[in-house]
Amino acid sequence: MNELDIKKYIDLSDFLGTVLGPDYEIIVYDLKQILYIINGNISGRKSGDLLSPTMKSILQREESAKETWLSNYRALSSNGKILRSSSFFIKDESCKVVGGLNINFDDNRYKELSNLIFSLCHPDNYVSKNISIEIKGNDEQTIFSENISNTIDEILNRINKSLPFSDLSHSEKLDIIRQLYQKGIFSMKGSVKTVGNRLCCSPASMYRYLELVKKEK
């Protein structure tokens, strides 16, 4: 992109960041790196960072060369957040993709608020046991991800840092799988095997755990 294009999209990013607020991350990037970012704390990225596998996979899609934008898809960032994302493709005079502008929405605060509202009208721990605001899997929709292995590792480390996962009990492993399921992790290709390796569970055990979690819903 030339300097005029960059300035134009940076100005647009500042405008969108001001209008949409702190739960929206706005990114301008070329084919190599992030050129400008608003609310980068959402995904943990900053200007100058190299283009992530997520962005590369979007730009390299054959459809991207034919489309003007890609809207409302799910993207899993390296810090474990599933974001609602949209990409506007920046093209040169020959209609070749040279970069993009991304808008990523983080709805975690609203999920927490929903649970708080439900807790006002239900007693004790009824909400945590019976009501869940979660992302539903969609086999027809791709989840663009940074690195599934690294993402799962980070989420697992946040869940439990005190014990080796091989020492966890059946109920503890079930609880971890429940949390990963609620984050939509198991909608991603290869996730069952990756989580099973981390938790020292066979594929058969993993599917038994998942069946138990699904029955709870």
Side-chain angles (χ1 to χ4, degrees):
M1 284 187 285
N2 58 46
E3 291 185 5
L4 182 60
D5 284 335
I6 294 172
K7 178 66 165 59
K8 177 174 64 177
Y9 288 106
I10 285 177
D11 288 344
L12 179 59
S13 296
D14 284 332
F15 168 72
L16 290 172
T18 300
V19 171
L20 297 176
D23 297 309
Y24 286 84
E25 179 182 68
I26 320 295
I27 306 175
V28 178
Y29 53 92
D30 60 17
L31 299 180
K32 295 182 179 180
Q33 63 182 346
I34 293 176
L35 302 175
Y36 192 71
I37 187 167
I38 301 290
N39 297 326
N41 58 290
I42 288 176
S43 67
R45 291 174 288 192
K46 62 184 183 301
S47 298
D49 282 356
L50 296 178
L51 208 62
S52 69
T54 297
M55 294 182 179
K56 286 182 180 178
S57 65
I58 293 171
L59 292 176
Q60 290 170 356
R61 294 168 68 248
E62 292 183 7
E63 295 89 342
S64 297
K66 304 173 185 177
E67 298 170 342
T68 303
W69 64 75
L70 178 64
S71 62
N72 296 324
Y73 60 89
R74 287 183 290 167
L76 179 62
S77 67
S78 59
N79 60 6
K81 289 183 178 180
I82 294 182
L83 308 174
R84 174 165 60 83
S85 301
S86 297
S87 300
F88 179 86
F89 303 119
I90 301 173
K91 302 180 181 182
D92 61 17
E93 294 179 354
S94 63
C95 292
K96 180 180 179 181
V97 176
V98 295
L101 185 149
N102 268 35
I103 301 177
N104 302 318
F105 175 57
D106 177 14
D107 65 0
N108 284 285
R109 286 202 307 159
Y110 301 93
K111 291 177 184 176
E112 293 171 3
L113 179 60
S114 296
N115 284 328
L116 286 173
I117 292 173
F118 279 123
S119 68
L120 293 175
C121 57
H122 292 292
D124 304 324
N125 60 350
Y126 180 88
V127 173
S128 61
K129 287 186 175 181
N130 298 282
I131 299 176
S132 176
I133 306 299
E134 64 178 85
I135 295 175
K136 301 296 183 182
N138 184 344
D139 294 335
E140 297 179 353
Q141 184 183 40
T142 300
I143 297 181
F144 293 97
S145 130
E146 304 284 347
N147 181 307
I148 182 173
S149 180
N150 290 345
T151 299
I152 289 173
D153 282 345
E154 181 161 346
I155 294 173
L156 289 175
N157 286 335
R158 291 181 182 182
I159 291 173
N160 191 313
K161 296 182 179 180
S162 60
L163 291 174
F165 292 117
S166 58
D167 293 343
L168 296 177
S169 67
H170 170 84
S171 61
E172 289 171 327
K173 289 182 179 181
L174 179 62
D175 184 57
I176 288 175
I177 290 169
R178 182 185 297 112
Q179 293 183 57
L180 293 174
Y181 179 82
Q182 291 173 352
K183 288 179 177 292
I185 292 296
F186 294 109
S187 298
M188 301 175 61
K189 184 178 181 181
S191 58
V192 173
K193 180 179 179 181
T194 302
V195 174
N197 288 339
R198 299 300 187 274
L199 298 182
C200 300
C201 293
S202 67
S205 295
M206 283 298 302
Y207 285 111
R208 284 196 293 270
Y209 280 122
L210 284 171
E211 283 301 314
L212 289 173
V213 170
K214 291 175 183 177
K215 286 180 180 179
E216 293 175 353
K217 303 301 177 183

